[in-house]
Amino acid sequence: MMPSIDRAFFTLAVLAGLAGMLLGIQMGMAHDFQLVPVHTHINLVGWVSLALFGIGYRLGLAKGGGLAVIHFWVAAAGAILLPVGIYLATTRQQEAVVIIGSVLVLASMLLFLVNVVRAWNTPAAAG
Ligand code: HEM
């Protein structure tokens, strides 16, 4: 069973945060900072952005429902494919995945905008 949309976003955000931190620790231990852009995008597109989406849905600042579920899967795919794509572009000069990941991350923010605007006329939890 899928959890509510706010919890789904927040759980994936925490998992991304853990992955980003582990990569940060690994980079520090190895004194190899080639993957800093991968680390920053796991943390900022994964942990921070997904957590903000989850909080937005939780507070009623964005409207839940079917479009929010589509938003979740687009955001999840983007949060995974963008750092993987940056890794492939950095280490193997392969750019296809980073392009797909970028478009998904942009699409996810546009879907969030739609759900934020759709929530304009509903009362937010925080008033
Ligand atoms: C266990 C936790 C973390 C560790 C061990 C860690 C480690 C690192 C390391 C070693 C660097 C490279 C520094 C350098 O190039 O000199 C770095 C850069 C960076 N980290 Fe983390 N990090 C952690 C958590 C986070 C989190 C939670 C975020 C964001 C929410 C974050 C965002 C960034 C950013 C934006 C940079 C690039 C800074 C710059 O280039 O000026 N990190 N981190």
Side-chain angles (χ1 to χ4, degrees), residues 17 20-28 33 36 39-40 43-44 47-48:
M21 288 175 183
L22 287 172
L23 179 57
I25 291 169
Q26 193 279 332
M27 289 189 310
F33 303 113
V36 167
H39 165 77
T40 56
N43 278 320
L44 296 173
W47 164 225
V48 177

Side-chain angles (χ1 to χ4, degrees), residues 8-126:
F9 268 111
F10 214 71
T11 303
L12 190 61
V14 174
L15 289 173
L18 284 171
M21 288 175 183
L22 287 172
L23 179 57
I25 291 169
Q26 193 279 332
M27 289 189 310
M29 286 169 61
H31 299 281
D32 180 352
F33 303 113
Q34 188 195 13
L35 296 183
V36 167
V38 179
H39 165 77
T40 56
H41 286 80
I42 293 174
N43 278 320
L44 296 173
V45 176
W47 164 225
V48 177
S49 298
L50 295 178
L52 286 174
F53 292 149
I55 292 168
Y57 285 111
R58 180 69 163 198
L59 292 178
L61 291 170
K63 192 168 168 55
L67 196 59
V69 174
I70 293 172
H71 173 213
F72 173 80
W73 289 112
V74 171
I80 293 167
L81 288 183
L82 185 63
V84 169
I86 293 171
Y87 173 82
L88 292 174
T90 306
T91 60
R92 297 182 200 174
Q93 285 72 51
Q94 293 174 5
E95 293 178 355
V97 179
V98 78
I99 292 169
I100 295 166
S102 312
V103 172
L104 287 170
V105 169
L106 179 68
S108 111
M109 191 59 92
L110 288 171
L111 286 168
F112 192 55
L113 174 64
V114 172
N115 282 333
V116 167
V117 172
R118 288 171 74 222
W120 273 359
N121 292 325
T122 57

